[in-house]
Amino acid sequence: MINIATGDGYFPFVDSSFMYGGWSKALLEAIFSEMAVKAHFEVLPWDRGLKWTQEAKLFGAFPYIKSPERSEHFLYSQPINFVPIRLYVAQDSRIDTIEKVRGKRLCIPHGYSIGAAEQSVIERFAMTVNRAKDGLGCVGQVQRGWSDAGLTNGYIKATKLHKTDGPYGPIKIFPEELSTEPLYFVMSKSYPHAQEWMNKFNVALEQLVAKGQKQQIDKVFIEALVGN
C-alpha cells in the first residue's frame, strides 16, 4: 500500500462533492490499478501534501502544476489533466473586454505557484499581482475592487465562484480561453527509486491511452461538466 496526497475543492479535478471524487482522482485510480499497486489517497491541505511529498513521507501527490521552484525537488509525470485558463472581473466592472485588463491588478492566491499559463497572462497584459488567502479570497478582492481581475479554470461557472457574504454583486467570466495549464502527479526526487516509479506510472498512463480507457474517463467527465 502506498500513500498519495491530494487536496479537495479543486473542481472538477479533485472534489469530494463531485463524482468519483473528481476527474484527476478517477484517472489516478485507473493508473494505479493498471500498475497493480494499491494506493490510499489522503486528503490534506495543498501545501502540507506537497511538503510531506517533498520530504518523501508520502509516495506522491496530485494534481499540481509545474514551476521552476518545484522542479528542483520533484519529478513530474506526463500530464494527467489540462486546465483551461479564463479571466474574471466584477459584474459591474468597466472592464468589458479582455484587452482592457492591460496594466490592471490580477489576484492570485497565496501559496499558489504561478505556472507558465498564468505567467503568460501576466506578461501579455502587463498586469501586477495581488495576493489573497485563497481562491474565494481573490473573488472577494475582485468584487470589492481591491483587485481588478482573477483567473479561474474554464470548467467553473460564474455562479459557483460568487462570494455571497457582504453586499457585493456577482462576477463575470470572459469566454476566451487564454491558455491551458497541465496538471501532474509528482514525486520527490529523494523518494527511493523515484525515477523507476515515475517511469512505471508513465507507462501505465500510456497503456490506458492505448486501450482507450483514459479517453473513456475523460469523456464521462466532459459530458458531466457540460450539464453541470
Side-chain angles (χ1 to χ4, degrees):
M1 175 75 74
I2 59 171
N3 293 313
I4 298 170
T6 189
D8 196 16
Y10 186 17
F11 181 89
F13 305 106
V14 281
D15 194 317
S16 58
S17 64
F18 196 42
M19 61 182 192
Y20 308 115
W23 193 348
S24 297
K25 186 171 184 288
L27 288 170
L28 264 288
E29 288 177 339
I31 291 168
F32 283 106
S33 177
E34 183 71 20
M35 293 169 66
V37 173
K38 290 186 177 180
H40 170 70
F41 297 95
E42 189 169 353
V43 177
L44 296 168
W46 292 99
D47 54 351
R48 187 188 307 169
L50 200 63
K51 180 177 184 292
W52 286 1
T53 299
Q54 181 179 332
E55 295 170 352
K57 294 177 181 177
L58 298 169
F59 180 81
F62 76 97
Y64 286 88
I65 66 172
K66 185 181 290 188
S67 70
E69 297 79 12
R70 289 177 182 171
S71 296
E72 295 179 11
H73 306 287
F74 295 99
L75 298 176
Y76 290 84
S77 70
Q78 295 298 316
I80 53 176
N81 288 106
F82 291 88
V83 186
I85 302 297
R86 292 183 181 173
L87 188 140
Y88 68 85
V89 297
Q91 184 68 47
D92 59 357
S93 172
R94 293 183 179 179
I95 300 171
D96 53 7
T97 67
I98 287 287
E99 289 301 322
K100 288 185 180 179
V101 302
R102 183 168 301 280
K104 302 297 186 180
R105 301 162 297 177
L106 178 70
C107 186
I108 294 178
H110 280 296
Y112 185 87
S113 182
I114 297 175
E118 291 81 4
Q119 188 62 40
S120 69
V121 174
I122 294 167
E123 293 176 359
R124 175 181 170 186
F125 297 108
M127 303 185 80
T128 57
V129 174
N130 286 347
R131 291 285 190 171
K133 179 182 177 182
D134 52 24
L136 278 181
C138 276
V139 173
Q141 278 204 19
V142 171
Q143 288 175 315
R144 291 170 173 83
W146 301 345
S147 290
D148 299 295
L151 295 175
T152 184
N153 86 67
Y155 294 118
I156 296 181
K157 296 180 180 179
T159 52
K160 288 184 174 288
L161 279 179
H162 180 46
K163 189 174 175 65
T164 56
D165 60 313
Y168 304 105
I171 64 163
K172 59 182 177 184
I173 301 175
F174 288 105
E176 293 92 340
E177 185 176 304
L178 298 178
S179 186
T180 56
E181 186 75 77
L183 296 177
Y184 303 89
F185 170 72
V186 301
M187 292 185 68
S188 172
K189 291 181 178 179
S190 64
Y191 192 89
H193 310 292
Q195 189 61 64
E196 292 179 26
W197 277 111
M198 188 60 80
N199 291 343
K200 291 178 181 177
F201 181 97
N202 286 329
V203 167
L205 176 55
E206 291 168 2
Q207 289 171 339
L208 291 183
V209 172
K211 295 176 180 178
Q213 190 172 343
K214 181 181 185 297
Q215 295 91 317
Q216 290 174 0
I217 294 171
D218 291 343
K219 181 180 178 183
V220 167
F221 279 89
I222 291 169
E223 288 178 349
L225 288 166
V226 170
N228 189 67

